Amino acid sequence: MKVLSKPVADKSKYMDLLRQMMLIRRFEEKASEMYMRGKIGGFLHLYIGEEAIATGVMSVLGPDDYVVSHYREHGHALARGMDPKVIMAELFGKATGSSGGKGGSMHLFDASRNFMGGYAIVGGQLPIAVGLALAAKYRREDRTVLCFFGDGAVNEGEFHESMNLASVWQLPVIFMLENNLYGMGSYVERTHAGGKDIYHVADAYKIPAAQVDGMDVLAVREATEEALKRVRTGSGPVFIEAMTYRFRGHSMADPVAYRESSELDQWRKEDPIEKFKVVALREEFVTDDELQGIEAGVQATVEAAIRFAEESPEPELDTLHDNVYA
Amino acid sequence: MTIASSQKAERGNISFVQSINEALRQEMERDPSVIVMGEDVSGAAGRKDQGFEDAWGGVFRLTKGLGPRFGPERVRDTPISEAGFIGAAVGAAATGLRPVVELMFVGFYGVCADQITNNAAKMHYMFGGKVKLPLTIITNTGIGAGAAAQHSETLYSIFTHFPGLKCVVPSDAYTAKGLMAAAIRDDDPVIIFLHKLLLGRTRAGLRQSEEYVVPEEPYIVPIGKANIAREGSDITLIGIGYTTVLCLQAAQELEKEGIDAEVVDLLSLSPMDEETVLSSVKKTRRVVITDEDYPRCSVASDLSALVAEEAFDYLDAPPKRVTPPHTPIPYSLALERLYPPTKEKILAAVKSVLE
Ligand SMILES: Cc1ncc(C[n+]2csc(CCOP(=O)(O)OP(=O)(O)O)c2C)c(N)n1
Ligand SMILES: [Mg+2]
């Protein structure tokens, strides 16, 4: 196990980070159970193993900053502070869900938190991020846009067009690449000509770039903090590549026949939650009792979300016709 | 053309997916110029050297087993770069290769529309017939799986709109295999649209003959020909892909009430078999058109116009369309259920036409 980067000198911050990662983990474990029981339909893409990235990023992002994401966005939405109940209800397709059941797992949205949506066409969220940044700059607002995307998305034209636009127009975008080494079953080294260290692509667009350990919540936090400082000076976008691994299949339908189980075992040793627990205990920022307290609290939150989703009504049938036009 | 009763049960039923797979394998065996490309069509993006092969076989398993059989040069995993690899398929086709590419879900067409509608559709014409593009695009359509607005669309009308593209929609395992083979052998770009709800099915389920199975030997279902899936005299139901199944179910129900419905399985949207449609409608004098695509500027409205313009004098009632509403596709099962054509909606439409 690699040693985590330097501790944040504030006990409550530690607890928050841990609680957040654990909430995402438990929420998704439960969601996967609900999927198996037919309560959740469509596609379900789990973020398990990658929790440190969303958690680290959101712990320093300002409330006015925008977030855009893809279809693997439960973790991003939770870390951004979206109500777990409302997310779970959306996964259940209920009227009380974030989009009234219209969107489901891949299309979470919360304007009140500037969480500007999950998009399911690979790469489709990148130009949206550029547009949000363009609007912020146009209005002279002090807002940054943080855009999540995967290693597979880098091979879409929209990625390159967005990088170029953001740089040419000096827009406040943080391109947050979650490199989990696979796009569906395709290994990054066989699909990306530049190999698995993707951040080099940013050079071509004169965008400053860094690679961080995406299994280390503090490293992600620190990298995001630095990126924010830089972007807020108005000098244009920043690119961060967080190296990570998804512990589960691409979606619930994935038999995961394209990687060795030993590879997964290796990465499980880097489990961002377990690693962080060790540090937190070692640094005495958290006691065993407190850990148990966090676990119990998180469980209760997830149970409440399930109950809320179960008990919520189905959408009214005529809402089918609502929201087609403004 | 009637294909329903001609086949004998010589082997077990194979599914729609297996039919497509078999057609691909047989065409690849027959013709070395056939290659397959797409995301995880084999799986693991060419890590055969590391022991990973056929890890996926396509998300719908349409290309399962082709990687081990034909090797990574002919069954090529691509990066997520649809504009790139579909455009590359157009280029390769211009030299006489017969690429088959998978566009995983039809809703992804947006990122590669330029290559399909500006290049593939037009090159033969704008280069004065000097180049042929024997290219096949396989794509998945349809709702019924809770896949929400971006993964459930039908959209074949968009491609039908473009002269130069051929569009086919199989309705069962038999037509799937035959149209797949026909598409590969065709010298024009052909898009074959496969509905999610058909993939696991064996026979159409409701073909009249219980002995209806998919022959093992290669055969084609000709592009540009509709099939009379059920003969009848009182009303024509036109189905496209999965809605043909619904039309056949409705026809069974109607039979109990003494209504004898004819079901036309359109199969080919472009070119369209106007003759079969018109002669059926002229015979039954009534028509219900079913289509899961968005209703505006659709194949259904095209058919309705065709019937109105060419068979008006024969009609006892105006043509009636059964389509989804003019809305995107909702996620929630409660709403999704309301969205597409159903047997009940078809029956209601039939009643209103017969009144
Ligand atoms: C344009 C487009 N092509 C293909 C897909 C199917 N698809 C969905 S997710 C995915 C893999 C994306 O991988 P990556 O960007 O690495 O993100 P990850 O899933 O690993 O988080 C693919 C191929 C899609 N949704 N959109
Ligand atoms: Mg990935």
Side-chain angles (χ1 to χ4, degrees):
Chain A
M1 188 180 293
K2 273 182 261 162
V3 183
L4 289 167
S5 45
K6 72 171 192 302
V8 219
D10 173 355
K11 179 178 162 103
S12 71
K13 200 77 237 174
Y14 254 85
M15 303 263 282
D16 287 348
L17 294 173
L18 191 52
R19 185 180 298 112
Q20 187 60 70
M21 289 197 287
M22 284 166 64
L23 175 65
I24 298 171
R25 178 74 54 96
R26 297 288 170 259
F27 182 96
E28 288 208 313
E29 284 170 350
K30 204 71 190 170
S32 106
E33 203 183 306
M34 293 296 125
Y35 187 89
M36 301 305 283
R37 284 172 45 190
K39 300 277 184 186
I40 297 172
F43 298 105
L44 190 73
H45 305 88
L46 300 179
Y47 192 59
I48 292 177
E50 309 186 32
E51 296 92 342
I53 306 173
T55 302
V57 162
M58 299 303 179
S59 72
V60 289
L61 214 62
D64 289 338
D65 295 332
Y66 289 117
V67 179
V68 211
S69 184
H70 51 177
Y71 46 85
R72 195 183 302 287
E73 89 285 34
H74 310 144
H76 305 147
L78 285 165
R80 187 57 175 165
M82 260 180 90
D83 185 346
K85 288 185 179 139
V86 170
I87 300 175
M88 193 62 86
E90 186 62 28
L91 268 51
F92 274 57
K94 296 296 183 75
T96 51
S98 46
S99 301
K102 289 262 177 67
S105 158
M106 303 194 287
H107 306 296
L108 299 174
F109 189 88
D110 185 351
S112 73
R113 292 193 159 66
N114 293 311
F115 187 82
M116 300 305 281
Y119 301 80
I121 307 294
V122 169
Q125 75 278 24
L126 286 141
I128 303 288
V130 173
L132 295 167
L134 173 71
K137 185 166 177 166
Y138 178 79
R139 296 205 182 91
R140 309 273 185 279
E141 290 169 343
D142 182 22
R143 290 179 197 246
T144 298
V145 182
L146 193 128
C147 182
F148 290 102
F149 56 100
D151 46 286
V154 170
N155 299 320
E156 289 284 9
E158 283 172 301
F159 166 75
H160 297 274
E161 297 183 23
S162 301
M163 291 278 281
N164 189 55
L165 276 177
S167 186
V168 164
W169 291 343
Q170 298 279 283
L171 296 177
V173 182
I174 298 175
F175 290 96
M176 190 77 206
L177 166 58
E178 296 178 312
N179 186 349
N180 58 17
L181 307 182
Y182 291 87
M184 273 182 38
S186 292
Y187 186 55
V188 59
E189 282 188 353
R190 301 299 175 100
T191 47
H192 185 250
K196 82 169 172 8
D197 301 316
I198 293 174
Y199 69 100
H200 296 298
V201 298
D203 291 353
Y205 302 103
K206 295 203 161 35
I207 298 176
Q211 191 181 52
V212 292
D213 178 0
M215 309 306 265
D216 176 347
V217 65
L218 299 179
V220 173
R221 184 181 151 91
E222 204 178 299
T224 311
E225 229 168 0
E226 258 164 51
L228 276 168
K229 258 185 237 154
R230 181 164 191 135
V231 166
R232 284 175 180 151
T233 64
S235 62
V238 170
F239 187 99
I240 303 174
E241 174 176 32
M243 302 308 287
T244 184
Y245 199 75
R246 69 169 150 69
F247 291 177
R248 305 284 287 262
H250 167 71
S251 72
M252 295 297 287
D254 175 3
V256 204
Y258 44 81
R259 63 188 195 194
E260 298 290 358
S261 59
S262 59
E263 185 182 278
L264 174 60
D265 295 342
Q266 221 33 52
W267 277 95
R268 275 197 191 283
K269 292 187 189 147
E270 301 294 322
D271 186 321
I273 298 175
E274 294 312 313
K275 256 181 20 171
F276 192 63
K277 273 186 194 166
V278 171
V279 178
L281 287 166
R282 186 189 66 212
E283 302 285 330
E284 294 178 2
F285 278 113
V286 63
T287 65
D288 272 323
D289 277 357
E290 283 170 331
L291 252 184
Q292 274 170 23
I294 295 177
E295 182 70 59
V298 162
Q299 295 279 18
T301 304
V302 173
E303 290 303 332
I306 297 287
R307 218 171 317 116
F308 177 78
E310 295 259 25
E311 287 166 6
S312 289
E314 300 283 357
E316 293 290 337
L317 298 186
D318 49 9
T319 61
L320 172 63
H321 303 276
D322 297 345
N323 312 129
V324 179
Y325 300 103
Chain B
M1 184 188 55
T2 47
I3 51 180
S5 56
S6 62
Q7 309 306 327
K8 287 271 170 293
E10 275 148 15
R11 59 173 176 155
N13 286 318
I14 65 169
S15 72
F16 192 97
V17 168
Q18 289 167 315
S19 293
I20 294 283
N21 186 266
E22 188 167 273
L24 281 164
R25 181 170 50 74
Q26 290 175 345
E27 292 309 303
M28 291 181 84
E29 275 163 1
R30 205 180 51 80
D31 181 353
S33 65
V34 179
I35 61 166
V36 173
M37 296 195 282
E39 290 147 23
D40 279 303
V41 288
S42 181
R47 288 167 90 197
K48 186 177 174 181
D49 54 322
Q50 296 175 2
F52 299 105
E53 203 188 8
D54 210 29
W56 214 300
V59 273
F60 303 107
R61 312 297 186 270
L62 296 168
T63 47
K64 193 77 187 160
L66 298 181
R69 172 77 182 75
F70 299 104
E73 266 199 297
R74 291 187 71 190
V75 184
R76 193 176 284 262
D77 283 332
T78 66
I80 312 174
S81 308
E82 291 83 1
F85 73 79
I86 293 181
V90 178
T95 74
L97 283 191
R98 292 183 177 273
V100 178
V101 289
E102 182 174 66
L103 178 63
M104 200 182 294
F105 289 86
V106 72
F108 306 169
Y109 85 99
V111 300
C112 53
D114 181 49
Q115 292 302 327
I116 302 174
T117 63
N118 278 324
N119 289 346
K122 293 168 185 154
M123 282 165 67
H124 183 69
Y125 188 84
M126 76 188 178
F127 298 143
K130 303 268 164 47
V131 64
K132 288 179 187 165
L133 295 174
L135 158 76
T136 303
I137 300 174
I138 306 178
T139 193
N140 180 272
T141 68
I143 85 162
Q150 298 183 331
H151 281 69
S152 307
E153 289 169 295
T154 298
L155 298 184
Y156 42 52
S157 61
I158 289 183
F159 303 95
T160 303
H161 188 65
F162 283 89
L165 298 177
K166 292 180 177 172
C167 300
V168 297
V169 193
S171 60
D172 65 359
Y174 180 88
T175 50
K177 180 172 172 182
L179 283 170
M180 189 69 233
I184 294 171
R185 293 181 201 181
D186 200 281
D187 279 340
D188 288 310
V190 181
I191 310 178
I192 179 164
F193 298 87
L194 312 180
H195 196 293
K196 284 186 191 72
L197 296 183
L198 289 174
L199 296 179
R201 294 172 73 99
T202 49
R203 75 190 75 164
L206 291 161
R207 299 282 181 194
Q208 285 135 321
S209 166
E210 277 299 309
E211 295 178 350
Y212 176 86
V213 293
V214 178
E216 196 159 353
E217 63 276 13
Y219 62 94
I220 64 156
V221 167
I223 294 173
K225 283 269 176 243
N227 179 41
I228 307 291
R230 183 187 197 279
E231 281 185 38
S233 53
D234 295 336
I235 187 165
T236 298
L237 310 179
I238 304 179
I240 306 170
Y242 185 65
T243 69
T244 299
V245 175
L246 300 173
C247 288
L248 286 164
Q249 288 171 351
Q252 263 190 351
E253 202 97 335
L254 290 166
E255 191 178 300
K256 292 181 210 151
E257 299 173 33
I259 299 162
D260 186 18
E262 176 146 303
V263 176
V264 176
D265 184 6
L266 199 59
L267 294 177
S268 205
L269 310 179
S270 185
M272 190 185 278
D273 186 356
E274 300 185 355
E275 207 181 298
T276 298
V277 170
L278 289 172
S279 64
S280 174
V281 173
K282 285 176 184 172
K283 178 178 81 177
T284 64
R285 310 176 79 88
R286 296 176 179 92
V287 62
V288 168
I289 301 156
T290 65
D291 184 2
E292 194 184 302
D293 211 347
Y294 297 128
R296 303 292 317 278
C297 305
S298 63
V299 174
S301 38
D302 213 34
L303 282 164
S304 183
L306 172 75
V307 169
E309 287 173 17
E310 304 294 331
F312 188 79
D313 292 339
Y314 295 83
L315 290 177
D316 286 344
K320 181 107 189 149
R321 287 174 289 159
V322 178
T323 69
H326 186 54
T327 81
I329 296 157
Y331 163 72
S332 167
L333 204 59
L335 300 180
E336 192 200 41
R337 219 178 272 130
L338 298 178
Y339 186 86
T342 57
K343 182 183 75 179
E344 290 69 31
K345 288 181 192 173
I346 295 169
L347 290 172
V350 168
K351 300 277 152 66
S352 82
V353 167
L354 288 173
E355 249 158 36

